[in-house]
Amino acid sequence: MSAATLDLITLRRGCASCTLQQLCLPAGIGREELQMLEDIVKRKRPVEGGERLFRQGDALDSVFVARDGAFKTVLVTEAGDEQVIGFHLPGELIGLDALGTGEHRVEAVALTRANVCEVPFSELSDVASRIPGLQRQLMRVIGQSLGRDQDHREILVRRQANERIALFLHGLSERLQTIGENGQLIRLPMSREDIARFLGLALETVSRGFTRLQEDGVIAVHGRRVEILDMAELQRLAHGADNAGESRSRARA
């Protein structure tokens, strides 16, 4: 095996062990192109739960990707209250809120201890312009982020609390499957309070919603661990078919 081949394999393993692979490894990328990416990626020290990657008003210097752990993005009101705008799992870009204005409109807060890659945005743009496929890959990732924003808006227009909760859990399950995790066994990195703020519901309403889904046999809840027992039913509830769950409740009564 040649030294060049060995170097490429080693480099690919380095990227493949990092959740940036969805961004960094477009099909057909070569050794020199991969090295260009490796040169600009900064591996930050572990970020502790509660630490912020950036604050509202900070300039867009870098985008971030968690190799593990999870983050929330929050909008802090003038009164100091936090409105949860989104949750970010491993492999999802953090910091795209500043693309339009060059300044962050939200703050990114670690929900757990996390290892993070930082990519200077100006350097990423330059490298993307020189690597065939990377620009398309970057646009795809940005599109996925916009899709999650649309999903959040769809959640907030739902009138029934159970629909919001079901849509949240179903969407989280799909995102976990996308990054190769078990979508039926969810370890929630966020608190119930954060979920309530994200869904626009009272904490008590969220707790009752989880309890109802468990009583209906749709999920099993053990602390922050949620097991989806009936994915088809959860999907129906997520799309407004609440009558199925009511029928189950009446059948047991």
Side-chain angles (χ1 to χ4, degrees), residues 197-211:
R197 292 190 184 108
F198 180 71
L199 298 180
L201 299 171
L203 174 59
E204 295 78 9
T205 303
V206 171
S207 295
R208 286 196 300 269
F210 271 79
T211 298

Side-chain angles (χ1 to χ4, degrees), residues 33-51:
E33 296 164 335
L34 197 56
Q35 184 63 62
M36 290 167 60
L37 284 170
E38 284 285 329
D39 287 344
I40 67 170
V41 174
K42 302 176 182 177
R43 270 77 180 184
K44 293 178 68 68
R45 63 173 176 78
V47 178
E48 300 297 332
E51 281 193 55

